Amino acid sequence: MKYLSFNSKKSLNQEKLVFDEPLLLIFFEIFHYFILTIGPVIFGIAFFYVQLNFRNPVLFPFSIVTLILSFLITLFIFFQIKKSNTFRKIKGKENRKENMNLIENICNKNDWKILHTDNHSHVILIEKLKLAYHNGRELYILYKDDKIYIRCLTYAMHDMKNPFHWNSQRKTENMFIEKLI
């Protein structure tokens, strides 16, 4: 999991998730996201190009719709990847120590494992590894005065952040926020 390379101080300063990883891994992750975002557009353009050459009156309008949908899917994937690095901000108790104790109590009640703790952050394992669905779910929590920054991530192969589980990530964050209030 990525919590081993999580840099909480930089994350708190930049108010987004920051991981200290080797340059090669960062390059592979960016390449992976590039393929994910550009793939639908390439297939949409290829289908449109084939229909232009064949001039099929039935499939040509369908190819235009496919091309538009591929651009919309690409935008959706791009925004999900971008959103996976940002935190949700909520107002907590009066100080950081009270917020940290509250989070630890919630984890103990739900049998969630705290993977990493420092002076201003927690990384919590929500779900263990599952085959073919995702490779775990982690909750990143940062504390700054009376604010709590929260982000849930699921992982695909080789600890790549999975942008397709945005609904379940949001659901986990909402469940956690409800327990805080």
Side-chain angles (χ1 to χ4, degrees), residues 61-76:
F62 182 68
S63 68
I64 293 172
V65 170
T66 304
L67 185 62
I68 293 170
L69 282 176
S70 67
F71 279 110
L72 291 175
I73 289 170
T74 297
L75 280 174
F76 174 75

Side-chain angles (χ1 to χ4, degrees), residues 85-148:
N85 288 329
T86 59
F87 283 104
R88 289 178 67 184
K89 300 173 192 173
I90 55 173
K91 183 137 172 81
K93 301 289 182 190
E94 293 181 18
N95 63 22
R96 179 180 49 84
K97 197 64 175 169
E98 284 183 50
N99 290 329
M100 291 182 80
N101 289 335
L102 181 63
I103 299 297
E104 289 172 1
N105 289 336
I106 291 172
C107 291
N108 289 336
K109 287 179 185 175
N110 293 311
D111 293 328
W112 293 338
K113 184 178 178 184
I114 298 176
L115 300 173
H116 174 75
T117 301
D118 60 15
N119 288 335
H120 42 273
S121 72
H122 278 111
V123 179
I124 302 167
L125 181 67
I126 300 294
E127 289 181 352
K128 297 192 186 297
L129 301 177
K130 290 185 177 178
L131 186 64
Y133 178 63
H134 61 75
N135 287 340
R137 186 181 314 256
E138 291 177 353
L139 196 60
Y140 291 86
I141 302 173
L142 293 174
Y143 309 96
K144 186 175 187 180
D145 300 328
D146 65 338
K147 291 187 177 76
I148 299 174

